[in-house]
Amino acid sequence: MLLVAVVVTAIMPAIAAQAAVPLGLPRTIAFSRTNGTGTHIFSIEPDGTELTQLASGPGVDSKPAWNVDASAITFTRRSASTTDVWIMNPDGSDPHVFLPNASSLVWSPSGEGVAFVRIRNGNHDIWTAGADGTHRIRLTTDGARDVQPVWPLEGRLWFVSDRSGRDRIYSMKSDGTGLVRLTSGPREQRQPSGNGVELVYEQDDGNDGDIVRLWTPTRSVTVKRGGPADDRDPDLAFDGELVFRRRLADGSSRLIHRWIGGSGPGTVLSDGSALDRSPAWAPASAWERAQDDQAKGNLLEAAATAQEIRDDTGSFDAGVMEMYSANPTLNYVTEIGDSDQPELISILPDGTSWSAAALSDSGTCYYIRLDDIVGTTSGMDFSASAATNCSGADAATGAYSYG
């Protein structure tokens, strides 16, 4: 549990003037499209709107990847003489080379490093570097083809290798040690995606591709998109949303968005008039930060409202109706109800103190307490994802201790 001290005199005046923090999750999907003008990076929203071409010019652009706060997109650009990783702003502006002689770059969850593929003497290997591209380290030295790195956890990498004779997905520590093979069987497995516990990948039997889900703690496998359709290039979002490409008989492909655990055809994002590949969601870390910012902002705004009522009435014993009246943009419940969404603030007021909690959609519970004697304290609890122990009562009692 992480405790954070808050100085009430520094934050309350500014917060009191703020509106409830909106939930503006970065949900844009970047992908590579081949059409009559070449192969370049595009973006689209998960409902199929806002199709935008981001990259242009000479070269073949592929493998887009968002950095951790969704403030930039990297991609692989192949020309007649070189293959490099480029970087640009989310709107496509300021494109330039980020890492020469490299491809398929991905970012670590912390944003402090990158992993990528580099070819030397005809051999493909996985490398890492710092977030600025310096301090490059080669992780794999096998004579096999090691490609398609994924960095689902800070200390662990996934990648694809044909070292067993077929394409398989492997896991290793981010220093190159602790190699483990995750997939097996008679088919080829490629394009891993996931969160460290849940691995989603493409499985190719030579005729078509299927989307497969593997629960890594038990190695249990479920085919999520099978049958005669040729489904490939999955990317799994933070909340269980899946985007993948479906290859059509004429050689084109369309992007499809659906929930990993749901049924039905999903939402078709592109019309099949071009070849769309390598879809990439804005990363989970960016979603978590946006969700956490919303919960914290809403809780601090509620605390500012409570402080204003205390200043006006001389007591923190403000009923829910007063909170509604003073701040109609948020919803308030009593101490016996857990917060289960960022706009739902669970409060426990009495004459000399006011405690409250709000649950972020990322699963983190944020607490705050205003006290005449101690002042203002706040903190967070990472174990409250089921909306338990996330109430005003928990913020004021032994379920949560201040420091």
Side-chain angles (χ1 to χ4, degrees):
M1 185 175 292
L2 179 62
L3 306 179
V4 183
V6 180
V7 181
V8 65
T9 57
I11 65 170
M12 287 305 176
I15 292 171
Q18 293 178 358
V21 179
L23 185 57
L25 294 180
R27 292 169 46 79
T28 305
I29 299 165
F31 64 99
S32 174
R33 165 168 285 190
T34 300
N35 55 23
T37 64
T39 301
H40 296 298
I41 305 303
F42 286 68
S43 66
I44 197 168
E45 295 303 307
D47 61 359
T49 62
E50 303 296 329
L51 176 66
T52 305
Q53 182 171 343
L54 302 180
S56 60
V60 175
D61 301 332
S62 63
K63 290 291 182 181
W66 296 84
N67 68 346
V68 292
D69 63 359
S71 64
I73 300 173
T74 54
F75 60 97
T76 301
R77 172 163 286 180
R78 188 178 74 250
S79 67
S81 59
T82 185
T83 298
D84 305 315
V85 171
W86 286 55
I87 192 168
M88 61 183 170
N89 294 325
D91 63 0
S93 61
D94 192 28
H96 57 277
V97 174
F98 175 72
L99 200 59
N101 186 25
S103 64
S104 303
L105 183 142
V106 294
W107 297 80
S108 71
S110 69
E112 297 178 355
V114 295
F116 58 95
V117 174
R118 173 162 283 176
I119 304 175
R120 283 193 173 179
N121 300 320
N123 198 49
H124 296 69
D125 284 302
I126 308 297
W127 291 61
T128 59
D132 60 356
T134 62
H135 306 294
R136 300 162 195 167
I137 301 172
R138 181 181 177 183
L139 299 187
T140 61
T141 58
D142 193 274
R145 175 177 169 270
D146 298 329
V147 294
Q148 298 176 11
V150 177
W151 207 324
L153 298 171
E154 191 56 42
R156 205 82 190 169
L157 284 163
W158 294 338
F159 67 100
V160 172
S161 178
D162 63 359
R163 61 185 64 198
S164 68
R166 294 180 182 271
D167 280 348
R168 298 280 183 262
I169 299 171
Y170 290 78
S171 172
M172 65 179 170
K173 294 181 180 179
S174 51
D175 62 1
T177 63
L179 183 70
V180 177
R181 192 172 81 177
L182 297 179
T183 63
S184 60
R187 301 178 179 180
E188 310 276 348
Q189 293 106 18
R190 308 183 185 100
Q191 305 295 343
S193 175
N195 54 25
V197 175
E198 192 171 35
L199 166 63
V200 176
Y201 57 91
E202 163 195 319
Q203 184 163 271
D204 188 353
D205 64 2
N207 296 316
D208 59 41
D210 298 324
I211 306 300
V212 178
R213 181 188 199 180
L214 184 147
W215 186 252
T216 59
T218 61
R219 301 293 178 89
S220 58
V221 175
T222 306
V223 177
K224 299 308 298 182
R225 299 303 300 170
D230 191 356
D231 295 334
R232 300 175 183 269
D233 290 5
D235 193 44
L236 187 64
F238 169 75
D239 61 349
E241 288 180 275
L242 179 70
V243 63
F244 59 94
R245 73 174 172 109
R246 174 162 292 168
R247 194 161 65 175
L248 306 178
D250 63 1
S252 65
S253 62
R254 58 176 52 142
L255 300 183
I256 297 177
H257 164 229
R258 54 169 288 125
W259 294 94
I260 184 68
S263 59
T267 302
V268 177
L269 303 185
S270 51
D271 60 11
S273 62
L275 175 56
D276 295 336
R277 289 173 289 196
S278 304
W281 289 100
S285 54
W287 288 40
E288 289 173 345
R289 291 177 189 183
Q291 291 166 331
D292 289 349
D293 286 347
Q294 182 199 29
K296 286 187 289 187
N298 288 345
L299 182 62
L300 289 172
E301 186 185 358
T305 301
Q307 185 66 52
E308 290 177 347
I309 294 174
R310 170 68 175 84
D311 293 342
D312 290 341
T313 66
S315 173
F316 281 116
D317 192 8
V320 173
M321 290 308 297
E322 281 113 344
M323 295 294 293
Y324 267 122
S325 175
N327 192 339
T329 61
L330 297 175
N331 299 320
Y332 301 94
V333 296
T334 66
E335 70 275 9
I336 60 173
D338 287 305
S339 167
D340 60 8
Q341 55 186 325
E343 297 86 359
L344 191 63
I345 311 300
S346 178
I347 63 174
L348 177 61
D350 59 38
T352 59
S353 67
W354 185 89
S355 304
L359 182 70
S360 167
D361 286 340
S362 76
T364 302
C365 183
Y366 292 91
Y367 300 99
I368 196 166
R369 178 174 178 173
L370 314 180
D371 190 286
D372 280 340
I373 299 174
V374 178
T376 300
T377 52
S378 67
M380 61 189 75
D381 181 358
F382 297 104
S383 64
S385 59
T388 57
N389 301 326
C390 191
S391 72
D394 296 315
T397 64
Y400 175 76
S401 59
Y402 291 94

